[in-house]
Amino acid sequence: MSKTLIIIKREYLTRIRNKAFIFSTLFTPLFFFGIIALSTYMGVKSSEELNIAVYDESGMFAGQLENSKRIHYHWVPREVYEVITAPGEEEKTEFDGVLFIPLIDIEKPSGITYTSRKQMGILSQEKVNDDLNAVLERTRMIRADIDTAKLAAVKANPVSLVQKTIGDDGADKEANAGVSLIAGYGAGFLIYFIILIYGSMVMRGVMEEKTNRIAEVIVSSVRPVQLMMGKIIGIGAVGITQFLIWLVLLVAGYGVVMSFVSPDTIQQVAEAQQAGPGMEAAQQLQLATAQLNIPLLLGAFLFYFLGGYLFYASLFAAVGSAVNDDPQDAQTMMMPVTMPIILSIVVLTSAINNPGGPLAFWCSIIPFTSPVIMMARLPFGVPGTVPWWELGLSVVVLTGSFLFTTWLSARIYRTGILLYGKKVTWKEMFRWAFSKQ
């Protein structure tokens, strides 16, 4: 056991002292905050603002198109319209474009055109369409002798569905599907990211020691199984360390950013994205804290991170021990291991859209996909959406699976780590695993 601890310590200290680790740990959160800040700034500053000249030949829309912060309508007579649309005058006009409304059939309107020096954005185009259709709708109702004021009163104050979930104590609490969706996507994708990155790191570490003949020296005093487990646990500890540092930096950075961002800026971003005024950050955090079972989610995340990592890392270690320095062979052998992880991301959207469905259930039990899919389902509620027995079954199956794969990979590892110059197949690797040695 002491030799395994020495290997764990060596793997851990070697990697956390590496400049690449320090750089990625410190600058990855800064990169994400930079992307968010840049998109926020661009959302506020790059929102399109248009001054549109309107010539209404039909007279139906005169004075009825309402200005907004982004679209400003300016009614012009025919003389002005002919001047600003004359050839060679496009660059001289103060307007961004000209909206021409001909004599139209109100039941089948056509021929309305927008002419400009440059094409308007999709959001601006939708806004102009909505404004035109709103006028058409009011005009049709008036001609049909429909009281527009009464109709507006009928449409006023629409219902807003409030979800409530019943807890173990029988009390109900307010739930929000958006909060569960964001938490499910975030947790599932983070598990996927960690398993894929650090599992691949285990394989590359094993391959490097094998091709450099370092493994021959190490196994002269350490059993191959101890070497494999020390490498897996050491790199896993590096992953946990990096994740905890990221968590602290993200929480601290979020607090700093929100202390400098004004509510007006948040409102501007929402309007620029046409998302409507959202809740304030404090209200969102309060709702998420009240709705989500934070202790359960943190405990489950730690388990599924460790269980999923150990399950896949042992397989990656077995593959790394069997291949030589040929990158093509490594990619070929690695494909059957990485495909289930990629499949879990493909299933993730379906599992979030229907977290209680049969696809989500089976993929949260099968150990190849359960770390990602179960973490995506848990924010939707336990024991409501995910019964306790499903969670328990998933935990038991994943625990038994990573114990089995660790045993299986150890038998492959002890043969493959000292085998050079031979192209190995999966069939031969399974023969190593189950042969009596």
Side-chain angles (χ1 to χ4, degrees):
M1 186 61 184
S2 61
K3 294 180 179 180
T4 304
L5 290 176
I6 293 173
I7 297 171
I8 293 172
K9 182 179 178 181
R10 169 184 171 271
E11 293 291 335
Y12 181 78
L13 294 178
T14 300
R15 281 172 168 77
I16 64 170
R17 291 171 179 172
N18 188 281
K19 292 181 180 179
F21 173 82
I22 297 173
F23 180 84
S24 63
T25 301
L26 295 178
F27 285 94
T28 297
L30 294 177
F31 172 76
F32 280 109
F33 272 114
I35 293 294
I36 295 172
L38 180 62
S39 62
T40 301
Y41 176 80
M42 296 298 292
V44 174
K45 297 297 182 182
S46 65
S47 57
E48 191 173 35
E49 186 173 342
L50 299 176
N51 289 299
I52 299 177
V54 182
Y55 172 55
D56 183 12
E57 194 175 64
S58 68
M60 188 185 306
F61 294 82
Q64 295 195 58
L65 296 177
E66 298 180 358
N67 293 328
S68 64
K69 291 183 178 180
R70 295 187 297 108
I71 305 293
H72 305 278
Y73 299 104
H74 304 272
W75 303 92
V76 297
R78 182 180 184 87
E79 295 77 13
V80 177
Y81 168 73
E82 291 176 348
V83 169
I84 61 180
T85 56
E89 296 295 322
E90 297 88 355
E91 299 294 334
K92 300 177 183 179
T93 178
E94 61 187 58
F95 302 109
D96 296 293
V98 180
L99 181 65
F100 171 62
I101 306 174
L103 293 170
I104 60 173
D105 180 359
I106 191 172
E107 300 303 328
K108 297 179 180 179
S110 62
I112 300 177
T113 58
Y114 175 79
T115 307
S116 65
R117 296 186 300 273
K118 61 180 181 179
Q119 184 176 350
M120 70 167 66
I122 183 65
L123 296 180
S124 299
Q125 180 178 334
E126 290 178 357
K127 181 65 172 64
V128 174
N129 275 330
D130 291 342
D131 292 342
L132 293 169
N133 286 320
V135 175
L136 282 174
E137 183 180 314
R138 288 198 300 267
T139 306
R140 287 169 181 167
M141 287 191 296
I142 291 172
R143 293 192 178 185
D145 200 21
I146 299 174
D147 192 326
T148 56
K150 289 183 178 180
L151 184 61
V154 170
K155 292 182 177 181
N157 301 320
V159 67
S160 180
L161 180 65
V162 176
Q163 290 195 64
K164 291 189 175 182
T165 56
I166 301 175
D168 293 334
D169 55 359
D172 54 4
K173 60 181 181 179
E174 188 173 340
N176 186 291
V179 171
S180 299
L181 183 144
I182 293 172
Y185 259 118
F189 189 80
L190 191 58
I191 289 284
Y192 160 81
F193 176 80
I194 291 174
I195 289 176
L196 190 61
I197 294 299
Y198 289 100
S200 301
M201 191 181 295
V202 170
M203 188 188 76
R204 289 195 301 270
V206 172
M207 289 179 60
E208 288 173 2
E209 290 185 351
K210 179 179 179 179
T211 55
N212 294 333
R213 303 292 179 117
I214 298 174
E216 294 181 4
V217 178
I218 297 177
V219 296
S220 63
S221 57
V222 178
R223 293 171 56 194
V225 176
Q226 291 178 312
L227 177 60
M228 186 190 79
M229 290 306 302
K231 184 172 291 293
I232 291 174
I233 295 174
I235 294 177
V238 173
I240 293 177
T241 302
Q242 191 170 52
F243 170 73
L244 292 176
I245 295 174
W246 282 348
L247 185 62
V248 172
L249 291 177
L250 288 173
V251 171
Y254 178 82
V256 171
V257 170
M258 294 311 299
S259 65
F260 284 99
V261 177
S262 64
D264 292 338
T265 302
I266 298 176
Q267 180 73 16
Q268 287 179 338
V269 173
E271 290 179 354
Q273 298 174 346
Q274 287 197 340
M279 292 182 296
E280 293 183 0
Q283 292 177 325
Q284 292 178 346
L285 183 60
Q286 184 179 7
L287 177 59
T289 304
Q291 176 180 334
L292 302 177
N293 189 339
I294 302 298
L296 174 64
L297 291 180
L298 290 177
F301 182 88
L302 182 61
F303 170 78
Y304 281 105
F305 161 67
L306 292 175
Y309 168 76
L310 291 173
F311 178 81
Y312 275 103
S314 58
L315 296 176
F316 277 117
V319 171
S321 67
V323 299
N324 294 297
D325 56 353
D326 188 348
Q328 187 173 357
D329 288 345
Q331 287 290 103
T332 303
M333 297 294 290
M334 186 180 173
M335 186 63 67
V337 181
T338 56
M339 284 302 296
I341 310 178
I342 298 172
L343 175 64
S344 64
I345 287 297
V346 175
V347 177
L348 181 63
T349 301
S350 298
I352 288 178
N353 290 332
N354 186 14
L359 179 64
F361 166 74
W362 286 111
C363 287
S364 61
I365 301 301
I366 299 172
F368 289 95
T369 56
S370 64
V372 172
I373 303 303
M374 183 56 85
M375 277 309 306
R377 296 178 64 203
L378 289 178
F380 288 88
V382 179
T385 303
V386 182
W388 286 112
W389 69 267
E390 288 187 15
L391 179 58
L393 179 61
S394 176
V395 168
V396 170
V397 171
L398 182 58
T399 303
S401 297
F402 78 67
L403 290 176
F404 173 74
T405 55
T406 301
W407 170 83
L408 187 71
S409 298
R411 295 178 65 86
I412 297 173
Y413 186 92
R414 67 184 182 183
T415 301
I417 195 67
L418 298 176
L419 186 67
Y420 298 94
K422 181 180 180 182
K423 189 174 182 178
V424 180
T425 63
W426 277 99
K427 181 179 179 180
E428 191 166 6
M429 290 170 63
F430 278 108
R431 185 173 59 80
W432 297 346
F434 295 104
S435 64
K436 294 181 179 180
Q437 300 181 16

